[in-house]
Amino acid sequence: MMLPPATQRRRLLAPLVAALMLGLPLAGQADTAFTYDIPAIAPEVSSESEEKPGWATERFAVAAANPLATDAGYQVLKAGGSAIDAAIAVQMVLNLVEPQSSGIGGGAFLVHFDGEEVATFDGREAAPAAVDGGLFLDEEGEPLAFLDAAASGLSVGVPGTLRMLEMAHKQHGVLPWSELFAPAIRLAEDGFMVSPRLAESLAGEERLRDDPQAGPFYYPDGEPLEAGATLRNPALAEILRQVAEGGSSALHTGAVAHDLVLRVQGHAERPGTLTREDLAGYEAKQRAPLCTPWQAYVLCGFPPPSSGHLTVMQILGILEALPEVEAPMVDGVPSEAWLHTFLEAARLAFADRGRFIGDPAFVDAPGGDWSSMLAPDYLAKRAELVDEQSLGSGGAKPGNPGELATAWGQHPLQPEYGTSHISIVDEQGNALAMTTTIEQAFGSRIMADGGTGLPGGYLLNNELTDFSFTPEDAEGRPIANRVEAGKRPRSSMSPTLVFARDGEQRGDLVASLGSPGGAAIIHYTAKSLVAMLDWGLDAQEALDLPHAITLGGPVYLEQGRFPAATLEGLAERGHEVSERELVSGLQAIQVVGEGFFGGADPRREGVVMGD
Ligand code: GLU
């Protein structure tokens, strides 16, 4: 485990540690196998881009977006817990310390490997039974402004994270479910230090302060909490106690569910329709993973309702079908020539994504099988559209994988934000990649206290804004990802496990990775995979590389990270280029020899720990 030296850590945290009675087990947990100690680490990293060292471990490793969350997973693994046990502890602490990104009010996708089989668990939010394609249209039939739709009761989908974790824990858990909530409960009761990133998110957020529960909690005296402030969350501690004892039903039924429904239906401006029946009826799903051969590897990821794996693998497949770029990296950053082919591949892949992908319970795969979108001869045909000059903004049109009979309309472009990624490998040979979200930063900006009447609580997602706001396109064709009752919105989340390729078979585990970042998750993941698997960079070097994205229109390069000549060269090739912040939150763990090497995104507060 590589952290600041113990003496330095103690110095940084002396006041917190003294205040927190370090090392006392939780009441009622003294006889159990796992007892949680509040760690001698703090979110001392700044919210500015921070150089990360990369972390070598021998037996197990956990990577998450906040040091306290990573540490909770580390303590679970050290106590003999499995990867899924650790993921539960990490997720609950993330809910507390990185509330803007994920939690029990949201949804998640988990790719799990138990040493033999790969399984995918779907905890994506579902649309309530009473909604239809007009959910985000105003009286005139025009789509609502994005933020108005997001910060409302309309956008709240039935949460799925807890049901999903419970399903995976039943199959792969080692430690008792109830023990895995101890870190989050303890930190919620005793208090934790607000991290720079949370403080910055609170300061930059306009609508959260209007929420009757979140306003006074995160903006005491009207001012946002500052980094380093100690925050307790008694309502969340109480809710998690109930979940620890009663399982996911403590959220989906009873008083906590009742409170959730009241808050959604009671939203002052735009109430939603979510009911107790919607909550009680939610089920996590185990789906067949998509495992796709690429070069010397097999990459396993999430099928629809995520567009992640299909779009990542379309990009990688198109790149593979094109002649190899001679110098993909120049002076430590991706070259103009490589970026051009990458961006053209992304244009083509996003055109298909916008046409074909939606919840498979509602949308048939092209040709009856999603793998039609990844067929090598189809991608080779798509690669023929890549030329010296860019297809330009809006120039890439969808193809026709699987000779699709139904004519879907094209999905309009909409923003997505927020989210967190967790990668874990345990000592028993399990590995997982889990991306978890409440969609935007602070989700629907509705905080629920579970009916406890205590300060704090958890935030409800705005995942339904991942549906198309308009049910049909300008030609009147239905959009695959339109709102429908009970449907799960299309996602970009791309949790990925990489394996060696043994012929067409899956061999040993090579890596686990994923990222937040809205639709750009796909670019961040695809480029990091190329960097690690094709260019031979280690996990940290790969995550450090600057980003370039396009959803089919303008190209955005990460602010200040590429030479001016690259911007000019891409513009000459017909890309509409500008620079902006591109705040990924990648986490990756690679298998290296007998051990592991983990990387965390320099753009966020994540760290890796392990022994
Ligand atoms: N809601 C988005 C999705 O599921 C993720 C948002 C984000 O990562 O920023 O694809």
Side-chain angles (χ1 to χ4, degrees), residues 202-277:
L202 287 170
E205 165 57 32
E206 288 304 320
R207 306 221 179 184
L208 187 65
R209 49 188 100 210
D210 299 338
D211 181 70
Q213 188 70 15
F217 184 66
Y218 287 122
Y219 302 86
D221 308 319
E223 291 303 316
L225 288 170
E226 287 183 6
T230 299
L231 185 62
R232 294 179 181 79
N233 189 333
L236 184 62
E238 175 51 31
I239 295 164
L240 293 183
R241 267 189 203 290
Q242 293 178 23
V243 172
E245 292 311 315
S248 67
S249 291
L251 179 85
H252 285 264
T253 61
V256 180
H258 182 62
D259 166 72
L260 193 161
V261 166
L262 286 183
R263 291 186 193 261
V264 171
Q265 295 191 2
H267 190 272
E269 284 118 44
R270 290 170 295 281
T273 59
L274 197 149
T275 62
R276 293 183 68 160
E277 289 69 37

Side-chain angles (χ1 to χ4, degrees), residues 232-420:
R232 294 179 181 79
N233 189 333
L236 184 62
E238 175 51 31
I239 295 164
L240 293 183
R241 267 189 203 290
Q242 293 178 23
V243 172
E245 292 311 315
S248 67
S249 291
L251 179 85
H252 285 264
T253 61
V256 180
H258 182 62
D259 166 72
L260 193 161
V261 166
L262 286 183
R263 291 186 193 261
V264 171
Q265 295 191 2
H267 190 272
E269 284 118 44
R270 290 170 295 281
T273 59
L274 197 149
T275 62
R276 293 183 68 160
E277 289 69 37
D278 289 323
L279 273 170
Y282 181 91
E283 283 175 7
K285 293 188 180 176
Q286 190 167 344
R287 299 187 182 276
L290 290 174
C291 289
T292 311
W294 185 72
Q295 297 192 351
Y297 304 95
V298 174
L299 283 72
C300 293
F302 221 92
S306 186
S307 64
H309 182 79
L310 288 173
T311 315
V312 166
M313 293 315 300
Q314 276 207 343
I315 294 174
L316 297 190
I318 291 171
L319 288 179
E320 198 177 20
L322 287 167
E324 207 173 318
V325 174
E326 261 173 45
M329 295 252 291
V330 173
D331 295 332
V333 299
S335 66
E336 178 207 316
W338 185 82
L339 287 172
H340 172 70
T341 56
F342 176 72
L343 292 164
E344 291 301 277
R347 288 184 194 283
L348 291 162
F350 271 81
D352 273 8
R353 170 185 181 267
R355 181 62 59 97
F356 301 115
I357 304 176
D359 182 344
F362 293 76
V363 176
D364 288 338
D369 190 336
W370 295 109
S371 61
S372 65
M373 294 181 70
L374 302 177
D377 53 345
Y378 174 66
L379 294 183
K381 252 198 264 159
R382 298 289 282 163
E384 284 170 16
L385 298 169
V386 178
D387 216 332
E388 286 299 302
Q389 274 308 104
S390 172
L391 289 159
S393 287
K397 304 290 178 227
N400 194 7
E403 305 303 317
L404 187 77
T406 320
W408 292 117
Q410 196 67 8
H411 200 302
L413 295 177
Q414 291 169 192
E416 303 160 35
Y417 313 88
T419 310
S420 209

Side-chain angles (χ1 to χ4, degrees), residues 124 416-419 437 439 463 466 491-493 516-518 521:
R124 185 69 164 169
E416 303 160 35
Y417 313 88
T419 310
T437 184
E439 213 308 277
E463 215 69 53
D466 272 0
S491 170
S492 304
M493 296 192 290
I521 288 172

